[in-house]
Amino acid sequence: DAVEISDADDLWGLDIKETTRALKKRHGEGCSVSCIGPAGEMVVPISMVFNDYLGTFGRSFGGNLGFRNLKAIVVSGTKGTWLADKNRFMRTANELAERAMKDPLREKWANQGLYFVFSMWVKAGYFTTKNFTESFSEKESFELYGLKHFERVKQRVIGCPSCGAPDKFLLKFEGSELGGFEMMIGTPIDPAMSYGIRNEVGDFDKACWLFAESDRLGLDAMTLSALIGFATDLYQRGIITKEETGGLEIKAGFETVRKLLELTAAKEGFGVALGEGFAGMIRRFDHEEDACQIKGTEPDFDARATLGVEVFGSVVNPRGAHDMPVGGLTVAKGRKPDFFKKVISKIGYVPETAMDRVFEESGFDVARLTAHYENWATVLNSLGVCFRMQNSSLYNLESASELSSAGTGIERGPEELLKDAERAYNVYKMLNAREGFDRKDDRFPEKWFQPLKRTDKDEEMFLTDYFGRKRLTREDVEGRLDAYYEEKGWDLGTGLPTRKKLMELGLEDIAKEIPTALHALFSKI
């Protein structure tokens, strides 16, 4: 009903919790608060915006608000919701809810969240340490960070609105040498994966405290932990010196990480370099080949553990290292070829005309599958549907189309919905292109072409196809990128949408606005 710009002098300097609490007290508990903490105020590039203590505006948006002296956005709704055809909408919604409640894994998700997959991820080799060169010992993973620790501090489950299987949590720590503290967390394995394993903190409670402290100050804990791992590697090899760190010894362990976290949030000392992210660290110290990053962000999944759509998608996504794991299709290793064709056909996002290109007797073409998988992920993202397995697995194109049509009153059949998603994704890509990104930025980190050591198993893992049949070279990877761009209808040389593709999608205005500097890159005009 009204928009008001309010003075934030009394909020400036407050952390995420303090700001959110103060604004909810002022405007009512029913409002929603998006805010930055001290790191965002200092315009630290890896600072974040937090929504109601828990959700975020992605991985690096906090500095944007801080630069504009915008501390917080408060929203209160007064007009309720509206559906074009409530009865029609609720028929599909009730069917999905019934399926969700009957899911045999629902209780696992509600009780353990993503700790449900902790064991699988450890055994697959996703948890890496020493700057992405070794997978962490299975025995130590379970002893130091396993489910027993999570169960000890879990207070209650938190769910997003309408979720059929809530999997976010309030954790409470008591009697710790760090003092008692609480934290809300959406992915409870992240503290172990980040500060715990990447930075070898060696203690579950300390890893969680560091993560909670990052959230409180408004910093991206996942990226900061990866940056500290990168910096530790360079320091130990003499590439970064004590003079450059202000006399601080960069090494693994809790005390060093805590100090670096404080410096980064305050934009002081060596924290200035860390806060600039991978791009800034590489500008300062070079050695891009030692940074496991894509477009400035570290990947969640390691291609040497398994090269599926989540990993390949994190390479080509316009947003740095962003994976869209709809249902965790290929996160798990060892699934048989016929599984994928059966599941994907049921959802319906690979057109019949593309089936023979995407699927082979021996499995699937990960690049061509990713090109269509992204459209399905975009359908769900555009409709506000969670991509986590317990939610996204309930949907297919038919149910998504029915909900969209009944809810808005704008009839969109399954094929039209996919076309809408393709159009949205091409706009997304062109925003990236406008800033100068092209094929050179869709790159596999050099680390992935080196063996991942599994010291506890006395073996090494190499970059292979999903089924582990062929070890992949840089030339193989470039060929897969060619296949991806071809399936998208994009230019192979630049990795960007062609004028022809943009016109086909009805994006004439964007086709006209391709920056002059990029015109020479396009081979198909």
Side-chain angles (χ1 to χ4, degrees):
D1 297 308
V3 176
E4 180 182 346
I5 298 176
S6 303
D7 192 285
D9 278 354
D10 62 325
L11 301 172
W12 212 254
L14 299 185
D15 64 33
I16 297 293
K17 286 185 176 180
E18 292 167 338
T19 305
T20 304
R21 196 178 297 122
L23 288 171
K24 282 184 175 288
K25 184 177 181 180
R26 185 180 305 173
H27 297 283
E29 287 298 322
C31 73
S32 261
V33 176
S34 295
C35 68
I36 58 174
E41 294 175 6
M42 295 299 297
V43 197
V44 175
I46 63 166
S47 58
M48 302 172 73
V49 178
F50 278 77
N51 306 317
D52 294 335
Y53 305 105
L54 182 59
T56 71
F57 278 5
R59 302 286 289 277
S60 58
F61 198 58
N64 293 49
L65 269 65
F67 182 75
R68 291 162 176 78
N69 294 320
L70 179 59
K71 177 66 175 177
I73 301 168
V74 181
V75 177
S76 293
T78 61
K79 297 184 178 180
T81 56
W82 174 89
L83 294 169
D85 189 334
K86 183 177 178 180
N87 290 334
R88 178 185 172 190
F89 183 93
M90 291 309 300
R91 278 197 296 272
T92 301
N94 287 336
E95 288 171 8
L96 292 170
E98 187 176 349
R99 286 182 58 201
M101 298 304 289
K102 289 180 179 178
D103 182 350
L105 299 178
R106 181 178 180 277
E107 289 304 310
K108 287 281 189 183
W109 288 111
N111 288 321
Q112 298 177 11
L114 277 179
Y115 251 97
F116 178 33
V117 301
F118 182 84
S119 176
M120 183 269 284
W121 282 24
V122 167
K123 291 176 180 177
Y126 282 131
F127 289 169
T128 60
T129 189
K130 293 181 170 52
N131 195 22
F132 297 89
T133 60
E134 295 182 12
S135 66
F136 203 65
S137 156
E138 287 187 17
K139 181 181 179 182
E140 286 187 280
S141 295
F142 293 122
E143 284 181 357
L144 298 174
Y145 307 109
L147 181 62
K148 63 183 179 182
H149 296 289
F150 170 69
E151 295 282 8
R152 170 172 55 84
V153 298
K154 181 180 69 175
Q155 288 296 296
R156 63 181 176 87
V157 66
I158 301 169
C160 299
S162 79
C163 181
D167 65 349
K168 299 173 174 62
F169 296 90
L170 172 66
L171 308 182
K172 188 172 184 179
F173 298 77
E174 297 175 329
S176 162
E177 62 184 88
L178 298 162
F181 67 98
E182 292 183 352
M183 67 184 298
M184 290 184 183
I185 190 159
T187 310
I189 61 175
D190 278 355
M193 185 179 183
S194 57
Y195 294 122
I197 288 172
R198 286 176 183 163
N199 302 147
E200 301 179 70
V201 165
D203 179 270
F204 177 81
D205 289 19
K206 288 180 178 178
C208 288
W209 185 89
L210 289 166
F211 206 95
E213 188 70 358
S214 298
D215 286 358
R216 185 181 71 80
L217 296 171
L219 277 174
D220 180 353
M222 299 303 288
T223 291
L224 181 56
S225 65
L227 286 163
I228 291 173
F230 177 44
T232 303
D233 182 17
L234 297 187
Y235 182 85
Q236 289 174 345
R237 291 159 55 196
I239 296 162
I240 296 176
T241 66
K242 253 190 179 181
E243 183 180 355
E244 290 165 314
T245 67
L248 182 65
E249 183 182 1
I250 309 298
K251 60 183 180 179
F254 176 75
E255 291 302 333
T256 301
V257 175
R258 174 160 69 173
K259 182 63 177 175
L260 290 172
L261 196 166
E262 292 169 354
L263 290 172
T264 304
K267 213 171 182 179
E268 295 176 353
F270 191 66
V272 175
L274 290 172
E276 290 174 352
F278 280 104
M281 286 284 287
I282 291 166
R283 279 195 301 271
R284 286 172 179 265
F285 306 111
D286 201 6
H287 289 268
E288 183 174 4
E289 70 279 4
D290 293 312
C292 193
Q293 55 88 27
I294 303 162
K295 303 183 187 78
T297 308
E298 80 294 340
D300 289 334
F301 302 107
D302 196 303
R304 294 164 293 184
T306 177
L307 178 54
V309 290
E310 296 84 9
V311 170
F312 193 88
S314 72
V315 172
V316 296
N317 199 287
R319 178 175 157 190
H322 179 56
D323 53 76
M324 300 195 290
V326 179
L329 185 67
T330 52
V331 171
K333 300 175 73 170
R335 285 174 168 159
K336 303 300 181 185
D338 58 353
F339 165 85
F340 297 100
K341 192 169 185 177
K342 180 180 177 182
V343 168
I344 292 164
S345 296
K346 188 176 178 182
I347 300 171
Y349 59 84
V350 177
E352 283 298 323
T353 54
M355 291 293 279
D356 289 341
R357 294 194 303 273
V358 171
F359 295 104
E360 309 147 352
E361 270 189 45
S362 59
F364 58 83
D365 183 318
V366 68
R368 294 186 186 278
L369 177 56
T370 300
H372 297 284
Y373 168 89
E374 287 170 337
N375 289 337
W376 173 232
T378 303
V379 167
L380 296 183
N381 282 343
S382 299
L383 297 179
V385 175
C386 176
F387 64 54
R388 287 186 177 175
M389 186 188 306
Q390 67 271 34
N391 288 293
S392 60
S393 63
L394 302 172
Y395 292 78
N396 58 25
L397 263 177
E398 291 287 346
S399 59
S401 168
E402 184 66 7
L403 288 171
S404 176
S405 298
T408 65
I410 304 169
E411 290 296 328
R412 307 301 286 168
E415 290 184 7
E416 290 174 299
L417 211 56
L418 272 183
K419 184 60 71 174
D420 290 341
E422 184 183 8
R423 183 179 299 110
Y425 205 87
N426 274 261
V427 173
Y428 182 31
K429 185 69 173 180
M430 285 306 298
L431 288 169
N432 195 264
R434 188 182 65 185
E435 303 306 316
F437 289 82
D438 60 19
R439 177 169 178 151
K440 71 180 183 303
D441 301 291
D442 292 346
R443 53 177 290 279
F444 277 53
E446 287 301 309
K447 290 282 186 186
W448 287 354
F449 294 103
Q450 301 165 13
L452 179 65
K453 298 173 185 176
R454 305 207 73 176
T455 52
D456 57 333
K457 296 177 177 292
D458 194 27
E459 63 183 33
E460 295 179 326
M461 295 173 65
F462 298 91
L463 179 63
T464 70
D465 64 276
Y466 173 80
F467 298 101
R469 295 168 183 153
K470 183 182 188 307
R471 186 169 168 180
L472 303 180
T473 64
R474 289 177 179 80
E475 186 178 1
D476 292 326
V477 166
E478 290 301 317
R480 279 162 172 75
L481 286 170
D482 284 345
Y484 169 80
Y485 300 134
E486 183 179 77
E487 197 67 27
K488 283 286 193 184
W490 294 354
D491 179 68
L492 270 61
T494 65
L496 301 177
T498 61
R499 225 175 251 286
K500 179 182 177 182
K501 170 55 71 174
L502 295 173
M503 297 293 283
E504 172 196 316
L505 293 169
L507 298 172
E508 293 87 354
D509 289 347
I510 290 179
K512 291 175 186 175
E513 292 173 10
I514 294 172
T516 303
L518 288 176
H519 281 186
L521 294 174
F522 284 76
S523 61
K524 298 177 182 177
I525 297 178

